[in-house]
């Protein structure tokens, strides 16, 4: 079973996807961390993330070790991720890794939950269940701001809001695999929902779709 969870910045995709994977005993892949790892690597090497040739070459040599960097959640890394993510050759280089994970999940799991921007539309268009998780912009900015403060980082709300809007705009307007809901995705607007409510709503959809199958 493949479950696709897509949505904009800080919509709660990761929390939902991780909980679904644990509850259903499926493998979990945060595809954003792959783009973040590439962005972080380029920044650390002093390479401009918008340099398509260098970014594509680095994407081809990305390893699982790169996904363990501890700076992946930094906002500068998030911006770099969204810049490299708009480069078609980078996306092409990272597609096989994501599809392989879905087709042969690690640890003998019977399926996988993937979260990102284009899972339901491009990476796993045949996923059994697709969710598009969203929330209004200010709610998402408040959540990300709180998350940064809880991690002990300095955070200015106005800057978080601006970064989030920049990244959403770049992710939605790019030509290759832009952020958008698949036609058969179920929309979860988490603006007025806590993590438990979003999880319950998603589990209800999964049970319903399994019963209909
Ligand atoms: O957690 P957050 O919503 O801040 O972002 P993320 O899921 O970690 O993704 C970081 C960036 O990677 C996004 O802004 C996208 O530009 C890019 N991304 C993508 O293009 N396609 C994916 N499947 C996942 C992430």
């Amino acid at each position: 079973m493949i479950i696709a969870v897509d949505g904009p910045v800080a919509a709660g995709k990761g929390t939902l996807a991780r909980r679904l994977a644990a509850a259903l005993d499926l493998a979990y892949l945060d595809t954003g961390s792959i783009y973040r790892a590439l962005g972080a690597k380029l920044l650390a090497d002093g390479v401009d993330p918008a340099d398509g040739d260098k970014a594509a070459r680095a994407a081809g040599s990305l390893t699982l070790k790169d996904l363990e960097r501890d700076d992946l959640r930094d906002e500068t890394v998030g911006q770099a991720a969204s810049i490299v993510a708009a480069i078609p050759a980078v996306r092409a280089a990272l597609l096989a890794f994501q599809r392989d994970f879905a087709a042969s999940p690690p640890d003998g799991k019977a399926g996988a939950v993937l979260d990102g921007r284009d899972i339901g539309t491009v990476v796993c268009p045949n996923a059994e269940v697709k969710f598009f998780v969203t929330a209004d912009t200010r709610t998402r900015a408040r959540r990300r701001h709180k998350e940064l403060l809880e991690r002990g980082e300095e955070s200015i709300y106005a800057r978080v809001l601006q970064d989030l809007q920049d990244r959403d705009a770049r992710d939605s307007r790019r030509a290759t695999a832009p952020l958008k809901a698949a036609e058969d995705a179920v929309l979860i607007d988490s603006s007025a929902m806590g993590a438990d409510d979003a999880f319950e709503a998603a589990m209800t959809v999964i049970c319903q779709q399994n019963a209909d199958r």
Side-chain angles (χ1 to χ4, degrees):
M1 176 188 234
I2 306 293
I3 301 178
V5 182
D6 290 304
V9 176
K13 306 176 297 288
T15 306
L16 176 63
R18 216 171 282 119
R19 285 188 66 173
L20 290 176
L24 301 167
D25 196 25
L26 301 174
Y28 167 59
L29 181 63
D30 166 8
T31 65
S33 70
I34 306 172
Y35 293 92
R36 283 173 178 270
L38 178 59
K41 198 173 175 190
L42 294 172
L43 290 179
D45 292 346
V47 176
D48 178 1
D51 184 329
D53 289 341
K54 287 188 181 150
R57 215 171 309 129
S61 63
L62 209 66
T63 66
L64 281 175
K65 191 119 194 61
D66 293 315
L67 303 190
E68 290 165 16
R69 299 179 64 105
D70 54 14
D71 57 355
L72 291 190
R73 300 303 307 170
D74 291 0
E75 270 311 301
T76 46
V77 169
Q79 290 291 349
S82 114
I83 293 170
V84 296
I87 302 168
V90 165
R91 302 200 73 85
L94 299 178
L95 195 56
F97 175 83
Q98 298 172 75
R99 287 195 173 148
D100 285 350
F101 185 97
S104 320
D107 306 324
K109 300 277 186 190
V113 184
L114 285 81
D115 86 58
R117 301 291 185 286
D118 61 339
I119 308 304
T121 51
V122 175
V123 179
C124 301
N126 297 326
E128 277 82 0
V129 191
K130 299 179 186 178
F131 294 107
F132 193 81
V133 188
T134 186
D136 63 70
T137 308
R138 280 166 201 284
T139 304
R140 292 188 287 118
R142 270 197 305 275
R143 285 182 190 158
R144 180 54 46 95
H145 177 55
K146 186 164 168 267
E147 193 183 311
L148 290 167
L149 292 177
E150 280 170 0
R151 286 204 341 250
E153 287 181 27
E154 275 182 36
S155 179
I156 299 166
Y157 172 77
R159 188 172 305 154
V160 172
L161 177 64
Q162 187 61 54
D163 279 354
L164 181 146
Q165 287 170 326
D166 290 349
R167 200 138 65 84
D168 275 354
R170 204 182 293 118
D171 291 350
S172 307
R173 288 183 201 144
R174 69 182 177 221
T176 309
L179 165 70
K180 70 166 191 264
E183 270 173 24
D184 49 350
V186 175
L187 185 76
I188 296 183
D189 183 337
S190 72
S191 303
M193 283 182 174
D196 288 346
D197 304 318
F199 173 71
E200 298 294 336
M203 283 301 279
T204 305
V205 170
I206 292 167
C207 293
Q208 188 61 51
Q209 295 202 359
N210 274 340
D212 292 347
R213 207 164 280 133

